[in-house]
Amino acid sequence: AKEAGKGGYAVFDHPLNDTFAERMNIEKQLYTAMEQEEFELVYQPQVDLILNKVTGLEALLRWKSPELGYVSPLKFIKVAEDSHLIIPLGTWVLRSACAFLKLLHEQGFGHLTMSVNISMLQLLQTDFNELVLHTLESFGLQPDCLELEITETVLVQSYDHVIAKLNALRARNIKIALDDFGTGYSSLSYLTHLPISTLKIDKSFMDSIPTGTNQATLVEQIIRIGKRMNMSVIAEGVERQEQLAYLLEQGCDKIQGYFFSRPLAAKDMEQWLACWKE
Ligand code: C2E
Ligand code: CA
Ligand code: CA
Ligand code: CA
């Protein structure tokens, strides 16, 4: 939407304040980025507080464009979705994350799971479930070591269809995590209708911990509801010791965040895991 700005200038009203030109440029570069191998996955550990063990990793996409420099996924994922490039890109992410997980399993980290972010558009592909199952099979990975992270935006679109697909994946023992929980279109009823194995408490809540504000109260309730429904509850964006202590006290299972590690490149993650293993 084009509007008259304050000083009478025309300004573009775009999400994240991206200009149209910037989005166009990102899209243009995205088309060649895959074949030019400009993408990389980094990995962040998920730590079980009770067992004091790393139980899994989340794969996060990075793009270093020779023309644009480092571009945040917060910017390019949206463009990749709009242009449907997210389909081949998402397939690449899934395969690469599974390949790394297989490698780690062979190095003695057989208990690790891999969490992969899945865009709504991927889930809406008719052959998505086959792609997931086939990818696991091709690496000889058990289905229960893969977790698909979805957000509620997935559900707004085509609810019944998506639920059926998720149920089929869950029936095959693939884990489903509800990402960014507590933000956006959050509805508690999703929890009863979806085959969710893991609730991820959004990192925006962490700022309020442990000061006892309404937000912190909400976190306590989210943990309680998740536990009551037999879900694993993980808090993301945990940076400080006092957040960790508070979450542990409230019964939160797992945490992910800079407190333990920033997302690391594959080689660095191998080393990090070897140190943790002591
Ligand atoms: P997300 O899935 O909620 O990922 C968590 C984000 O929080 C990541 O940002 C991570 O680097 C950051 N983070 C982790 N720990 C901390 C912490 O302690 N403090 C702070 N301040 N931040 C922390 P990142 O990597 O920039 O990714 C942003 C978003 O881009 C992701 O949010 C996800 O929605 C999307 N994304 C990333 N990779 C992929 C992908 O492969 N596919 C899809 N569809 N989306 C992706
Ligand atoms: Ca390029
Ligand atoms: Ca995620
Ligand atoms: Ca998240």
Side-chain angles (χ1 to χ4, degrees):
K2 207 176 178 186
E3 303 167 343
K6 273 203 184 118
Y9 297 102
V11 292
F12 289 97
D13 175 27
H14 248 291
L16 301 172
N17 290 329
D18 292 350
T19 64
F20 183 66
E22 187 187 7
R23 289 169 62 89
M24 287 295 285
N25 205 8
I26 287 177
E27 182 174 339
K28 185 170 159 243
Q29 300 304 330
L30 270 180
Y31 277 103
T32 53
M34 249 180 61
E35 63 191 49
Q36 291 173 4
E37 300 184 359
E38 292 164 15
F39 292 109
E40 184 193 6
L41 287 182
V42 291
Y43 301 92
Q44 189 175 37
Q46 302 176 330
V47 176
D48 186 308
L49 294 173
I50 314 293
L51 302 174
N52 195 31
K53 268 177 78 169
V54 181
T55 54
L57 306 177
E58 178 178 4
L60 293 157
L61 192 54
R62 294 291 176 265
W63 177 27
K64 181 94 182 296
S65 157
E67 289 84 3
L68 305 172
Y70 165 76
V71 188
S72 164
L74 292 171
K75 279 195 171 175
F76 74 78
I77 294 287
K78 182 74 178 68
V79 182
E81 285 175 344
D82 292 346
S83 60
H84 287 220
L85 279 166
I86 194 71
I87 304 300
L89 184 54
T91 301
W92 179 86
V93 168
L94 185 65
R95 279 200 71 80
S96 307
C98 285
F100 185 52
L101 184 64
K102 181 65 183 176
L103 183 89
L104 291 175
H105 281 189
E106 285 168 356
Q107 291 182 358
F109 303 102
H111 63 286
L112 288 181
T113 60
M114 182 64 73
S115 298
V116 178
N117 292 286
I118 300 296
S119 143
M120 160 198 68
L121 234 63
Q122 289 174 271
L123 205 52
L124 291 176
Q125 299 295 300
T126 35
D127 58 354
F128 179 74
N129 286 16
E130 286 72 36
L131 172 77
V132 172
L133 292 165
H134 176 259
T135 305
L136 284 166
E137 216 176 271
S138 70
F139 287 104
L141 288 165
Q142 294 300 312
D144 64 353
C145 66
L146 179 66
E147 182 162 82
L148 305 176
E149 296 200 357
I150 60 165
T151 60
E152 290 152 354
T153 51
V154 161
L155 303 166
V156 182
Q157 294 246 330
S158 115
Y159 197 72
D160 292 338
H161 182 58
V162 167
I163 289 187
K165 279 191 148 167
L166 292 174
N167 279 330
L169 289 167
R170 192 70 199 101
R172 300 295 292 267
N173 246 351
I174 289 159
K175 295 196 176 84
I176 313 287
L178 195 52
D179 206 351
D180 304 340
F181 190 75
T183 63
Y185 302 99
S186 259
S187 157
L188 286 175
S189 74
Y190 285 150
L191 294 183
T192 55
H193 293 114
L194 288 172
I196 300 296
S197 2
T198 303
L199 263 193
K200 293 196 85 168
I201 305 175
D202 191 71
K203 65 175 178 293
S204 61
F205 287 100
M206 295 309 131
D207 299 335
S208 66
I209 288 177
T211 48
T213 59
N214 287 340
Q215 283 234 316
T217 311
L218 207 49
V219 169
E220 293 170 25
Q221 295 314 316
I222 292 173
I223 294 170
R224 225 133 277 152
I225 289 167
K227 299 274 80 187
R228 186 72 62 87
M229 298 183 81
N230 273 325
M231 294 165 187
S232 171
V233 180
I234 180 163
E236 62 182 358
V238 178
E239 296 179 357
R240 302 188 311 268
Q241 174 73 54
E242 68 253 40
Q243 293 171 330
L244 186 143
Y246 174 87
L247 289 161
L248 185 60
E249 186 189 298
Q250 294 303 323
C252 186
D253 296 328
K254 293 178 187 173
I255 77 145
Q256 183 182 339
Y258 296 167
F259 180 79
F260 282 116
S261 174
R262 291 188 172 252
L264 300 174
K267 276 275 160 264
D268 298 329
M269 182 47 75
E270 283 178 49
Q271 283 186 10
W272 190 90
L273 285 168
C275 291
W276 180 281
K277 208 179 169 189
E278 98 260 286

